[in-house]
Amino acid sequence: FMLHSKTFTVNPFQENTYLIYNDNGQAVIVDPGFYGRDEEKLLSDYLETNHLELTRCLLTHAHLDHIFGCRYIFERYGLQPELHQDGRPVYESAASTAAMYGVRMQEPPPVNYVFGDDGPIEILGQKLELYHTPGHSPGSVSFYSPEDGLLWSGDVLFQGSIGRTDLPGGSFEVLEASIRKKLYPLPDETVVKSGHGPETSIGWEKKNNSFVRME
């Protein structure tokens, strides 16, 4: 089965939420950033129109722009978000962070801290690779589908850029190591689906990324 990836660009931070689904009509949501009723409706309408069943809610990390919609997903579809164990402090402080930014946020739902070290993970009947890629956030992970040549990188790697490292638990050195050791060894043609901005490819970033370039 091929995996299909649908992008919703949502919330005041223009975050990319991804709906990944297979030909069997099963779907998972990655980083639901839906903010308010209208954006929540984008998801429910898309699922209904395409006869998709939402089965999991996966988080690349727990910054508030990636989890605004977790409460809605929990209440509407009964799904707890799944997160790396190192993401706990960020997830638990999300509501107070939102207040600091002056944005509305419902209390996030209970979470499953299921991701740990790198390794295979089954998503929608396919074997994907989970990479722990800290630096932007301690609990950041990336999901890679070798079969489809797709990488969902969260806020680790952007087109021509990288995730900011000045937030709590961030570190440029750690982020650079995550990108060089875990993401850049992937095939050049791998399509990178980032947490913000347009998609890119590993090959392009290795040559052109001004923050982390392979000479």
Side-chain angles (χ1 to χ4, degrees), residues 64 68 93-105:
L64 62 100
F68 279 130
S93 63
S96 55
T97 307
M100 203 171 74
Y101 279 97
V103 291
R104 294 186 324 279
M105 181 162 197

Side-chain angles (χ1 to χ4, degrees), residues 57-204:
C57 175
L58 311 175
L59 302 181
T60 62
H61 65 299
H63 285 147
L64 62 100
D65 51 328
H66 293 253
I67 68 167
F68 279 130
C70 282
R71 169 60 62 183
Y72 170 71
I73 300 289
F74 180 65
E75 289 178 354
R76 172 85 190 255
Y77 301 101
L79 301 173
Q80 281 184 276
E82 301 174 40
L83 177 64
H84 191 278
Q85 54 210 16
D86 294 353
R88 184 187 295 263
V90 177
Y91 189 83
E92 289 178 349
S93 63
S96 55
T97 307
M100 203 171 74
Y101 279 97
V103 291
R104 294 186 324 279
M105 181 162 197
Q106 294 177 293
E107 193 59 41
V111 67
N112 288 322
Y113 295 102
V114 288
F115 305 140
D117 296 330
D118 298 4
I121 174 177
E122 192 174 291
I123 295 177
L124 301 174
Q126 265 210 40
K127 279 276 195 312
L128 271 63
E129 290 294 323
L130 172 96
Y131 299 116
H132 181 211
T133 44
H136 170 68
S137 178
S140 283
V141 298
S142 304
F143 303 105
Y144 171 58
S145 169
E147 212 167 306
D148 300 290
L150 297 175
L151 175 78
W152 292 271
S153 68
D155 287 0
V156 175
L157 184 63
F158 300 132
Q159 185 191 61
S161 189
I162 56 172
R164 55 191 288 191
T165 55
D166 58 343
L167 297 166
S171 157
F172 175 75
E173 289 72 25
V174 172
L175 184 62
E176 183 182 28
S178 289
I179 293 169
R180 285 191 190 280
K181 292 177 182 165
K182 298 188 180 179
L183 303 190
Y184 279 180
L186 297 174
D188 280 355
E189 61 275 14
T190 303
V191 174
V192 182
K193 295 188 171 289
S194 306
H196 300 269
E199 61 183 40
T200 181
S201 73
I202 290 293
W204 194 91

Side-chain angles (χ1 to χ4, degrees), residues 3-37:
L3 292 182
H4 310 277
S5 183
K6 158 79 179 161
T7 311
F8 299 92
T9 302
V10 291
N11 76 42
F13 299 92
Q14 292 293 285
E15 180 261 0
N16 293 329
T17 293
Y18 293 101
L19 183 72
I20 307 172
Y21 59 98
N22 62 18
D23 296 325
N24 274 359
Q26 294 168 310
V28 300
I29 194 94
V30 177
D31 293 349
F34 304 109
Y35 188 72
R37 290 271 158 81

